[in-house]
Amino acid sequence: MTLSLPPFLACCVLITVGVTLLLERSLVRALAGVVVLSNGVNLLIVTASGAPGRPPFTGTAAPADPLPQAMVLTAIVITLGVTAFVLALVHRSWQLTGSDEVRDDTEDRRVRLRSRRGAD
Amino acid sequence: MDRLVCVPVLLPLLAAGVKLAIGARLRHLQSVISLVTLGLTLAVSVLLLLAADARGPLVTDLGGWPSPLGICLVADRLSTLVLVVSSAVTLCVMVYSVASAYAEQEHDAPMAIFHPAFLVMVAGVADAFLSGDLFNLFVAFELLLSGSYVLLTFGGTESRIRAGATYTLMALASSMLFLIALAVTYAAAGTLSMAQLALRFTTLPGHVKLLVELTLLLAFAIKAAIFPMSAWLPDSYPTAPAPATAVFAGLLTKVGVYSIIRLEALLFPGGPVGTLLMWVALATMLTGVLGAVAQTDLKRMLSFTLVSHIGYMVFGVGLATVAGMAGAIFYVVHHITVQTSLFLVAGLVERRTGTTSVTRLGGLMRAAPLLAVLFFVPAMNLSGVPPMSGFLGKLMLVQAGLAAGGRLPAMLVAAGLVTSLLTLYAVAKAWSAAFWRGPRAVLPGTVVESEEYTGEDPTVTTTAMPVALPVSVAALVALGLSFTVLAGPLSALAQRAAGELMAREPYVVAVLGRPA
C-alpha cells in the first residue's frame, strides 16, 4: 500500500490541534477542537484508502475505492448533527451561568469544600 | 424469518419519527405507540432468539447488496440473547416513564421529546447488537449516543448541562478514536465486514493486528467505562432523569462490553491482549467498588458499582475460553436487568422524598416498605448473595478462572470475591441508612454540605405514586429473579452462545455463505 505524505502530515497537524483544543475548559474551544479533529480523522480515512488521483469510473484500470468516501460522508453528517447539539449546549450553558466554561464535578467540589472546612 | 432481523432497528426508528411528527398532542396515542413498539420489538427479539438458537445465525443483507460488499445485520445466539434482555428492560423503563409522565399533568415535554429520543437510543442499541459491519457499528453507536445526549440533558437544568457537556465531549472523543481505528482497519485489511475481517486478519502480520486491535479496544473501552477510562460515568449518569439513567446504566455500557466480546472472539481470537484485559478488569473492579463504598448518594454509589461490575465481564472476555465467555455473557444478561432496576428504585426514592442523598434519607422502611423491598432484592442480587443470578454469574466466572489456571486468573478470582464483598458492604450501608434506620431528615451533629449534589430535579413530586411505577420496577426485579429459576437453561444458552462465538465458523459461513 502507498501513502502520500502531505495529506498524512495534514492529518497529524489537524488531529494534534483538535486534541489540544478539546482539552480546554471552554465549551466553544472544545467544540472547535471536535470540528478540527473530525476533519483530521476524515482526511485520515480518505488518505488510508489508497493512492490519490485514481479515476472514479468502473471499467478503468484502477478505479478509486468508493467505500471510504461513503464512510467519510456519513461521518461528516453525524459530526454536523452533534456539533449542532453541542452548540445548543453552549447556548444553554451561557443562558444559565453566563459563561461556557465547564465547572468542576461534584466530587471535586465536595473534596475542596471538605478540605476548606478542615482547614478552618 | 431472516427479514425479521431488521425489525428491532427499524421499528423504534419509525415510531420515533411518527412521534416527532405528532408532537406534544394526543398523549394517549403517544404512549400507546411507544409501548406497542417496544412490545413488538420484544416479541420479534424472542422469535429471533428461538430461530437463531435452533438454526444458527440469521443474516439480512441491507439494500439487497450481497454480503462482503453491502452492510448486513447478523442475529446469532449472543446478539439475540442480549437483544431480548435489552428489549424487556426498555419496555419496563418505558412503562415507568409513561406512568411518571401521566402523573405530572403539567409537563407535555416528556412525551414530545423524551420518547422519540428514547426510541432512537433503543434502535441504536439494537443496531449495535445486530451489526455485522464495523462501520455500521459506528453508526449504531452514534445513533444511541445522540439519543442519550438528549436524554441526559433533558430539561436543561444547570447540573444536567454540566454533566451533559462532559458526557458529550467524552463520547465525541471516543467516536473519533473509533473512526481512526476504522481508518487503520480499512487500510490494513481493505474491508470492514466483520466476517471478512475475521478471515483477512489471519493473514496479517502480528504487529498490524495488534495495532488495529488496541485502537478498536480503546474506543470500546471508553464506551464500556473500563478503568482508566471510567471517570466520566459516575460524573454524568446520576444527574439524568431516573428512567434515562436506568437505561443508560443497563444498556449503554453493555453495548461497549458486547463490542469487546465480539472483537475478541470473532476478529482477534487468542491474541496477546487477553492478559491486558485481565489487568484492566482487576483495576476496574477494585477502583469502582472502592469509589462506591465512599459515596453518600444512592445514584452515585450505584454508578460506581456499575463501573466495578463491568470488570467481571471484561475478566470473562480476557480469559478467552468458552467457559469465560459464557460467564461474561451470563453476567451481561444479569447485570443489565439488575442495574436498571436499582436505578429505577433510586428514581422512585427520589420521587418519594426529593433526594437520593443517604445522609438525608431515613426511615423509608416504614414510610415505603415496598420501595425497601424493591431496592433490597436487586441490591442483594448485584452483590452476589446465593442463590440469585449475581451469585451464579460470579460462580461461572470463578470456575472459568480457576479452570484456566495460572497466577493472573487466580488473582482476578480473588479480586472478584473481594469486589463482591465490598459491593455487599456498599449497598448494605446505603440500604440500612436510607431504609432501615429511624426517620430523621438530617443526622444530629452533621453539617449538610451545601454544595453536595441534591438531586435538583424540576419534576420531583412527592404526590401519590401511580400504581404502574412500582409495578414496572417490580416486573424488572422479578425478571432479575427469574434468571435464578431459569439459571439452568440460561447458562446452557450462554454456553452455546459462547461456543458458537469462539468457533467463529458458523458466523463466517452464515454471512459469507462459504466456509473459512
Side-chain angles (χ1 to χ4, degrees), chain B residues 10-344:
Chain B
L10 289 185
L11 200 59
L13 270 186
L14 191 69
V18 171
K19 288 171 75 77
L20 274 179
I22 295 178
R25 289 160 281 154
L26 307 170
R27 293 165 64 87
H28 291 287
L29 183 65
Q30 291 263 7
S31 38
V32 167
I33 292 177
S34 299
L35 295 174
V36 167
T37 304
L38 292 177
L40 275 177
T41 312
L42 175 61
V44 171
S45 310
V46 171
L47 269 180
L48 286 175
L49 174 62
L50 294 176
D53 194 29
R55 295 184 4 209
L58 310 171
V59 182
T60 289
D61 294 325
L62 297 181
W65 292 88
S67 220
L69 285 180
I71 288 171
C72 61
L73 294 181
V74 187
D76 64 352
R77 287 190 186 121
L78 169 64
S79 49
T80 47
L81 178 61
V82 282
L83 194 62
V84 167
V85 180
S86 74
S87 313
V89 165
T90 42
L91 181 61
C92 287
V93 175
M94 191 44 111
V95 172
Y96 179 100
S97 63
V98 165
S100 80
Y102 268 103
E104 286 132 31
Q105 290 295 336
E106 71 277 18
H107 286 281
D108 279 336
M111 291 287 187
I113 299 164
F114 191 95
H115 286 195
F118 190 89
L119 289 170
V120 166
M121 192 180 72
V122 170
V125 169
D127 195 16
F129 287 151
L130 293 172
S131 175
D133 180 282
L134 277 184
F135 195 78
N136 192 30
L137 185 62
F138 168 75
V139 175
F141 271 135
E142 292 305 312
L143 204 57
L144 69 90
L145 284 175
S146 46
S148 74
Y149 299 150
V150 177
L151 294 181
L152 193 82
T153 53
F154 190 71
T157 58
E158 198 180 329
S159 62
R160 283 186 189 161
I161 292 292
R162 197 208 69 80
T166 330
Y167 176 79
T168 313
L169 291 179
M170 196 65 212
L172 274 172
S174 91
S175 300
M176 289 304 146
L177 272 171
F178 195 1
L179 271 181
I180 292 176
L182 290 181
V184 176
T185 312
Y186 194 77
T191 179
L192 290 176
S193 151
M194 289 201 216
Q196 211 175 14
L197 278 177
L199 297 183
R200 291 208 180 160
F201 274 137
T202 51
T203 57
L204 282 179
H207 61 280
V208 177
K209 260 169 74 174
L210 191 64
L211 175 71
V212 174
E213 183 175 10
L214 287 180
T215 5
L216 282 172
L217 203 58
L218 188 61
F220 296 150
I222 296 177
K223 308 245 144 91
I226 293 169
F227 183 83
M229 279 84 75
S230 57
W232 59 270
L233 192 147
D235 178 41
S236 53
Y237 278 14
T239 43
T245 316
V247 75
F248 286 5
L251 295 179
L252 297 200
T253 48
K254 302 313 174 299
V255 175
V257 173
Y258 168 86
S259 310
I260 293 177
I261 292 180
R262 194 55 91 193
L263 181 77
E264 287 301 309
L266 182 67
L267 301 187
F268 304 97
V273 176
T275 317
L276 173 72
L277 278 178
M278 283 202 252
W279 279 111
V280 293
L282 184 80
T284 311
M285 281 187 207
L286 294 179
T287 52
V289 82
L290 289 177
V293 168
Q295 293 305 314
T296 55
D297 183 278
L298 271 187
K299 286 184 175 181
R300 290 185 68 89
M301 187 272 288
L302 290 175
S303 306
F304 274 100
T305 61
L306 167 62
V307 171
S308 156
H309 285 239
I310 296 292
Y312 284 103
M313 300 161 218
V314 178
F315 168 42
V317 181
L319 282 174
T321 59
V322 172
M325 283 292 178
I329 294 169
F330 188 92
Y331 210 88
V332 167
V333 169
H334 145 80
H335 199 247
I336 289 178
T337 324
V338 167
Q339 201 75 48
T340 310
S341 33
L342 279 172
F343 271 106
L344 281 187

